[in-house]
Amino acid sequence: MTTEPPPSALAGLKVLDLSRVLAGPWCTQMLADLGADVVKVERPVVGDDTRHWGPPFLQDADGHDTDQATYFTACNRNKRSITIDMAQPAGQALIRQMAVSSDVLVENFKVGGLAQYGLDYASLQAINPGLIYCSVTGFGQTGPYAERAGYDLMVQALSGMMSITGRPDGTPGGGAQKVGVAVIDVFTGVYACSAILAALQARHRSGQGQHIDMALLDVGMAILANQAAGFVNTGKVPQRQGNSHPSLVPYQDFPTADGAMLLAVGNDGQFARFCAAAGHSAWASDPRFATNTLRVNHRAELIPLLEAVTRTRSTADWIALLEDKAVPCGPINDIAQAFADPQVQARGLKLNQPVAQVASAPAAIQSIASVASPLRLTGTPPVLVRPPPALGEHTDEVLAGLGLDAAAIAALHAAGVV
């Protein structure tokens, strides 16, 4: 059973989700969290690839693993799932029928992959001129790599992201590293959501939809941010620096009496307050360290001095000492410690949704946990309507909404179309 959602920003918006894995589903989950009705189309029997990307797996009430991977739950809540075999003409017809009444379609097939089914932008725009059609690919709809498959890890490597992540060459553990999550996929989902909202605003004026071309590589290059800006304006290639910052000092991890902490000094005032609290006020006026640029130029001299001081107190003592002095300082948590943090708990960032016991859902799974949307709108907050769906959980419901009667739905099941 689902409950009526509170007023939401995107109530009434219909989204047809033909995407799978992470970037596309992250985008459509954002839209669903904001109140859109998102229908996720999956392959019969198999479903989204990430339903099987485990371990880790969801657990039953006794703490035993099921065959349902937790990966899928990260980006598919608040959606309805329907299974359709789009290789069959009848399946293609169903998707076209759904597209006619949809506002947005999101897909991440290879370039041109949906044209063979008559589900490409040109075909669907002809029957629904207002459709906003968002294609998410590795390399975009144009260019020499357009037809290549693309995954986050490939793009982290190709974009240069890995070249600036990790410890420097020649140090213990040195070498290029990927980020700990598929950050380019996630950012692509966020950018895609922003583009869709912009296209909706444009449609309010023109009445026309449009095609959105989202590429992981484009996003990977864009989120190089200050590192890319530095290169394109100076020609100097950024290097790996571990946890230190190329333009700010001190801005990195430091050893403490019982572990390590993170100190993130962003201006000269913060540095002066840190020095005073640490009992070394003279450092703030030292001609080597008085300004941030000087501290960057004399990094090799300053960091050992700071490390000698930070080792004299525990992490908790440093946080307590600096907290009321507006000097950013904090622990280096693992994920369990992060979820136990009082601020994380106060913000309600862990959600728990009961699972409806339907025929397509494993009865052993009683609830699914996820992380709350970070979008905090006072008037139209994100909604929490449905847990991540079981494969095909809403097939009959969606088909009935298209006007099919019980006999027609049964015939589609019998033919393996759904």
Side-chain angles (χ1 to χ4, degrees):
M1 296 291 290
T2 59
T3 59
E4 285 297 316
S8 57
L10 300 182
L13 189 76
K14 293 184 177 182
V15 178
L16 183 56
D17 185 2
L18 303 186
S19 68
R20 64 269 190 219
V21 187
L22 185 54
W26 195 269
C27 166
T28 53
Q29 178 171 269
M30 289 184 66
L31 297 172
D33 283 349
L34 292 172
D37 178 17
V38 177
V39 176
K40 181 179 180 71
V41 176
E42 301 187 67
R43 292 174 294 171
V45 182
V46 177
D48 189 310
D49 296 350
T50 61
R51 288 186 181 273
H52 315 286
W53 281 12
F57 296 97
L58 293 174
Q59 296 181 330
D60 61 22
D62 297 321
H64 300 132
D65 284 353
T66 67
D67 61 355
Q68 306 294 304
T70 61
Y71 198 119
F72 177 84
T73 70
C75 51
N76 285 292
R77 68 165 169 250
N78 282 333
K79 303 177 186 180
R80 296 190 287 167
S81 170
I82 178 173
T83 54
I84 297 179
D85 182 0
M86 67 173 61
Q88 296 195 43
Q92 298 157 20
L94 286 175
I95 295 174
R96 279 193 290 271
Q97 187 176 352
M98 296 167 69
V100 167
S101 59
S102 294
D103 299 289
V104 177
L105 184 149
V106 179
E107 59 90 10
N108 62 348
F109 286 75
K110 291 182 181 180
V111 171
L114 289 175
Q116 61 182 316
Y117 305 128
L119 301 175
D120 55 306
Y121 173 66
S123 299
L124 297 184
Q125 191 270 343
I127 59 176
N128 181 359
L131 182 65
I132 294 163
Y133 189 110
C134 180
S135 296
V136 179
T137 59
F139 302 101
Q141 302 293 306
T142 60
Y145 299 168
E147 295 187 4
R148 292 185 185 180
Y151 282 85
D152 177 278
L153 181 60
M154 292 172 55
V155 177
Q156 285 198 40
L158 185 61
S159 67
M161 178 70 70
M162 287 177 61
S163 78
I164 56 171
T165 305
R167 298 190 178 278
D169 290 334
T171 62
Q177 295 284 320
K178 70 178 183 67
V179 181
V181 297
V183 64
I184 295 177
D185 273 344
V186 170
F187 266 103
T188 300
V190 174
Y191 272 103
C193 183
S194 298
I196 287 167
L197 295 177
L200 286 167
Q201 178 64 17
R203 192 179 70 176
H204 290 326
R205 297 191 300 269
S206 68
Q208 296 296 307
Q210 56 183 296
H211 190 196
I212 298 170
D213 175 9
M214 293 299 310
L216 298 185
L217 181 60
D218 296 357
V219 172
M221 300 298 292
I223 64 173
L224 292 174
N226 58 295
Q227 297 279 38
F231 170 72
V232 298
N233 284 284
T234 69
K236 296 180 180 178
V237 179
Q239 303 297 309
R240 287 186 300 282
Q241 293 185 211
N243 290 328
S244 66
H245 195 287
S247 306
L248 295 171
V249 172
Y251 199 98
Q252 64 183 75
D253 59 315
F254 285 92
T256 64
D258 61 350
M261 69 174 182
L262 215 297
L263 185 64
V265 171
N267 58 55
D268 297 336
Q270 291 175 352
F271 183 65
R273 293 193 296 276
F274 169 80
C275 293
H280 291 273
S281 297
W283 286 346
S285 56
D286 188 302
R288 297 169 297 172
F289 311 140
T291 68
N292 179 68
T293 299
L294 289 169
R295 293 193 294 276
V296 172
N297 291 337
H298 294 276
R299 183 194 304 264
E301 299 162 72
L302 177 58
I303 296 304
L305 295 175
L306 295 176
E307 289 178 338
V309 171
T310 61
R311 286 190 177 96
T312 63
R313 289 183 170 91
S314 69
T315 298
D317 286 344
W318 277 113
I319 293 170
L321 177 67
L322 299 174
E323 187 169 19
D324 63 351
K325 299 174 179 62
V327 177
C329 172
I332 303 173
N333 288 333
D334 62 27
I335 291 177
Q337 291 169 325
F339 275 105
D341 185 279
Q343 180 66 18
V344 171
Q345 294 187 351
R347 295 288 285 178
L349 292 175
K350 180 182 176 183
L351 303 174
N352 199 59
Q353 295 175 276
V355 173
Q357 297 306 308
V358 297
S360 56
I365 299 174
Q366 302 297 315
S367 63
I368 297 176
S370 62
V371 181
S373 170
L375 304 175
R376 303 295 174 106
L377 290 76
T378 57
T380 53
V383 298
L384 194 62
V385 183
R386 298 181 178 89
L391 179 60
E393 178 178 344
H394 305 95
T395 296
D396 291 0
E397 175 184 305
V398 172
L399 293 177
L402 295 176
L404 279 68
D405 61 22
I409 294 172
L412 289 169
H413 280 289
V417 175
V418 299

